[in-house]
Each structure stands twice: as C-alpha cells, then as structure tokens.
Amino acid sequence: MNETIPQLLNYDEPSLDAAFATLADEVRAETFSPRDAEAFRLHWLGRKQGRLKLISDAWLKSAPADARKPLGIRFNQLKQQIEVALAAAVAAPPAASAKAGLDITLPGSVRAPGIPHPLLKTMNEIVAVFHDLGYSTALGPQVESDFYNFEALNFPPNHPARDTQDTLLLAGQQARPSRDRLLMRTHTSPVQIRSMIAQAPPIRIVVPGKVHRNDAADATHSPVFHQVEGLCVDTGITFSDLKGTLDHAMKALFGSSVKTRFFPSFFPFTEPSADVQISCIFCAGAGCRRCKHSGWIELLGCGMVDPTVFSSVTEERRKLNPAADAYNPAKISGFAFGMGVERIAMVQHGISDIGQFYSGDMRFLEQFA
Ligand code: DAH
C-alpha cells in the first residue's frame, strides 16, 4: 500500500482528473478478501489516519478558493468507489474462503438414518399381532389369474359382485379361458385359495401385500394400496372365535379400551359376512368429525368361510389327489378377514390424506422416525 501523500501542484481540471485517476487505479489494484475488508476500509476511510483524509487535508490546505469545489466533488467520487469495492467484497461468494482451506464453522453433511416407511411399520405391527396368536405369513403374486382372484372366491364370471372391485386387467388375455386370464390382484384374498390348495388344515395365515384397483386417487383412495388378509381353518371354528380374535387384534393395535362391533355385510366368499367397527379413538365414542359423528370407525371385513370356497379348493386338490377330502365342510370350518393397511395407519396417526404415504415428502416421513 502506498503511504506517501502525492503532491498536487496544479489545480486546473485536467491536473485534478489525472491525480484522481491515479488514486482510483490505486484503489482498484488493491484486491482483498472479505476477511481483509476492515483493514482496507481503515486504510482508505479511517477518520483520522485514513488515506483519503490525509490526502484531502494536504490538497485542500494549499488549494485556491475556486478549486475547493471541484476537489470536493472528486473526493466524494473516490469515496464512493471505495465503498462500492467494500460492499462487493463482503457480498462475494466465498471463493476466497475456499482458498483459505477448510471452514469448520460450516454445518457438516449429515446422512439421516433410514426408518421403515409408516405403511410398512403398520403392516408389520398387524402381522406381529397375528404371529403372536400362532399365525404364519403367506404371500402370493400381484399378477394373479381370474380363478384365484375371483372364481374360486365365489365371484362367478359376469356376477355383479365383481363390480365392487374395479379391476385392472392385463392386455392380450382374450384368447385364454376366462379362469386363466391375468389381472392385477384386487385384494389379498386369492392367497387364501393358494394356501388351502397347497396345505391341509389346520391353517392359520396372515397375508400382507400390495393390491391394485382401477380407482381414481382421492383423499381416501389410491389405485395401489395394501391389505393384510387372515385365514383360520380347523375343526370347530365358530363365529365366536372370529369375534374374539379380531377384538383382541383391534385392542392390540389401538389400545385396550377400544370396543369392537360387528355389522352384517356381504362378501361372496364368506357367509355370514360382517364389517368390523371400532369405537372412535378420537372421541371415545362420543361422536366427532373423524367418525362422522357416529362414534364408530369401520375398519375391516370378515366372515365365516363360505362352503362354496371349500368346494373350489377341494376340486383343485382332487386334481392332484382324487381322494382329497381335507376341506370337507362337514369336518372343518373357518373364518377369514381382510383389512386395508393405509386405512389402519390413517386412523392410528390421524392422517386425513392417503397421498401423504406415497409423496416421499421428508417432512411427513420424518415424523415416524
Ligand atoms: N377382500 C375383501 C376386500 O378387498 C376384504 C375381505 C373381506 C377379506 C372379508 C376377507 C373377508 O378375507 O373375509 O374388499
């Protein structure tokens, strides 16, 4: 830095211009990092020893009266140039600090620990409740045949009961016999059929899985969603067993003070069939917005396995062993149930939009960590 005070002998305008151009060059030549900005400011603008003050004192002292104004204007311009240089240095991107090396005051890059998705968590909870009762897990394909998804479950071809499940069919299946045509499974119930064909009673299974329907997405519907199915077949299984099992499961999931009630319903593969409702966990049954002021929340479907289902299973088993008689309704009986995982998770957590589960929004997902 130049600490000498330049001489000014001539006060005519061209001499002033030349002298100030030299000073302006001097300012421009001084590059500095944000860290040095204060030193730069003191050097040029310091109130007592600043270069601008010293030069203006020296030059104004010997200036003729009519040169004072043009001098003052030029000092102001120079001061502005210095201030602009200062502001630019402070606002500049931290290229200079990268040059200076590692800045340990910056936040580090943090990798958040992974957690199970809330749907998976709820699905695992449901499955665990039934594992504790001695059930095992069974799985089946998402691309399913008409036979397993509908026919064997007592939805005959063209029967109006099929209208309750708007189905996504695979293309190019018309040439096949109707029972072999492929579709995206609309529920986890076909795994009941697959399991009974593969295995004689007693049978106790839970079936978690993804299902598909041709439904428009809204706050409570998604074309892809999840279910947990259950099936219990043995000698002497009654509706009381069904009630006791599901009452226990609902208490395990929602707390021991929850009450259940069974409402007559219809499913082709169960007779009798019921919808299960729990007392509203938000208002304890008093009535609120979430239970539509009824005090009850409908959560799942269930019923006693229809003998027609056992007949379909027996017919298939006889193709492998003509003497197969294990699913004779005179000897055995059973119950089944199916629940939507999204629906259960929404009630558990008070979530009102199903779309949140699929949004991938970290602000939503982090709440389940
Ligand atoms: N599969 C039915 C559905 O998706 C739900 C269901 C109801 C399953 C009753 C069952 C049952 O096993 O017994 O709507």
Side-chain angles (χ1 to χ4, degrees):
M1 286 180 200
N2 185 0
E3 296 306 336
T4 58
I5 306 296
Q7 292 281 309
L8 186 64
L9 300 173
N10 271 312
Y11 286 88
D12 56 274
E13 298 252 345
S15 303
L16 289 184
D17 284 342
F20 276 92
T22 309
L23 288 177
D25 285 347
E26 210 181 295
V27 169
R28 250 192 304 279
E30 269 182 49
T31 55
F32 58 93
S33 71
R35 220 178 281 205
D36 304 328
E38 181 57 11
F40 174 86
R41 193 190 66 76
L42 276 176
H43 173 65
W44 280 100
L45 303 179
R47 293 239 248 138
K48 289 187 182 145
Q49 294 300 312
R51 193 157 167 70
L52 215 55
K53 162 96 168 105
L54 297 177
I55 295 174
S56 71
D57 282 355
W59 289 1
L60 281 169
K61 208 177 350 169
S62 46
D66 60 349
R68 290 182 164 264
K69 193 173 173 198
L71 259 177
I73 291 173
R74 285 169 176 76
F75 274 118
N76 274 336
Q77 284 170 347
L78 186 63
K79 189 175 174 207
Q80 268 180 18
Q81 184 194 340
I82 295 166
E83 281 167 349
V84 166
L86 267 171
V90 173
S97 68
K99 227 192 296 168
L102 179 68
D103 184 349
I104 59 164
T105 64
L106 290 172
S109 58
V110 178
R111 185 181 297 201
I115 52 143
H117 188 278
L119 281 180
L120 200 58
K121 206 168 145 204
T122 293
M123 192 145 88
N124 289 339
E125 272 171 37
I126 300 168
V127 165
V129 167
F130 289 96
H131 280 182
D132 288 350
L133 294 174
Y135 286 61
S136 33
T137 295
L139 300 174
Q142 289 178 53
V143 177
E144 189 50 285
S145 74
D146 188 281
F147 176 75
Y148 291 112
N149 196 83
F150 288 127
E151 231 175 283
L153 287 162
N154 197 27
F155 293 78
N158 303 316
H159 192 278
R162 292 193 177 207
D163 294 350
T164 60
Q165 305 189 355
D166 197 348
T167 311
L168 293 159
L169 305 169
L170 267 71
Q173 303 289 304
Q174 278 69 17
R176 297 184 151 193
S178 100
R179 65 171 267 155
D180 295 336
R181 289 182 195 163
L182 297 177
L183 45 83
M184 300 308 291
R185 71 175 176 194
T186 55
H187 51 178
T188 41
S189 304
V191 186
Q192 289 188 31
I193 307 298
R194 287 178 173 276
S195 301
M196 285 191 279
I197 291 174
Q199 178 193 330
I203 187 168
R204 284 175 177 77
I205 52 163
V206 262
V207 184
K210 208 177 277 262
V211 302
H212 306 253
R213 291 194 194 174
N214 185 24
D215 287 337
D218 64 20
T220 55
H221 292 84
S222 158
V224 182
F225 61 106
H226 301 79
Q227 290 186 332
V228 175
E229 186 86 12
L231 174 70
C232 166
V233 182
D234 204 337
T235 50
I237 299 291
T238 67
F239 199 88
S240 306
D241 297 312
L242 168 60
K243 285 190 79 171
T245 302
L246 290 181
D247 185 70
H248 165 78
M250 293 303 114
K251 287 181 162 65
L253 288 172
F254 293 102
S256 55
S257 57
V258 141
K259 293 199 220 21
T260 52
R261 87 179 174 179
F262 289 68
F263 238 68
S265 185
F266 174 78
F267 300 100
F269 43 93
T270 45
E271 181 59 36
S273 303
D275 284 328
V276 183
Q277 304 176 342
I278 62 165
S279 52
C280 180
I281 60 165
F282 302 104
C283 63
C288 69
R289 190 172 51 83
R290 291 187 186 273
C291 61
K292 298 191 186 110
H293 304 282
S294 70
W296 295 90
I297 296 182
E298 197 170 302
L299 273 190
L300 68 149
C302 66
M304 300 305 291
V305 179
D306 193 307
T308 318
V309 172
F310 288 139
S311 305
S312 301
V313 167
T314 299
E315 203 177 304
E316 291 305 301
R317 286 172 63 89
R318 285 205 172 124
K319 290 180 185 166
L320 305 167
N321 170 12
D325 189 35
Y327 287 94
N328 181 343
K331 295 181 182 169
I332 49 96
S333 56
F335 63 76
F337 54 86
M339 56 190 103
V341 178
E342 279 80 351
R343 174 121 181 90
I344 305 248
M346 285 167 84
V347 173
Q348 272 182 329
H349 304 297
I351 296 165
S352 51
D353 180 5
I354 198 172
Q356 302 243 251
F357 289 124
Y358 319 115
S359 66
D361 186 336
M362 290 300 285
R363 293 167 301 179
F364 172 73
L365 295 172
E366 274 169 355
Q367 298 178 68
F368 302 92

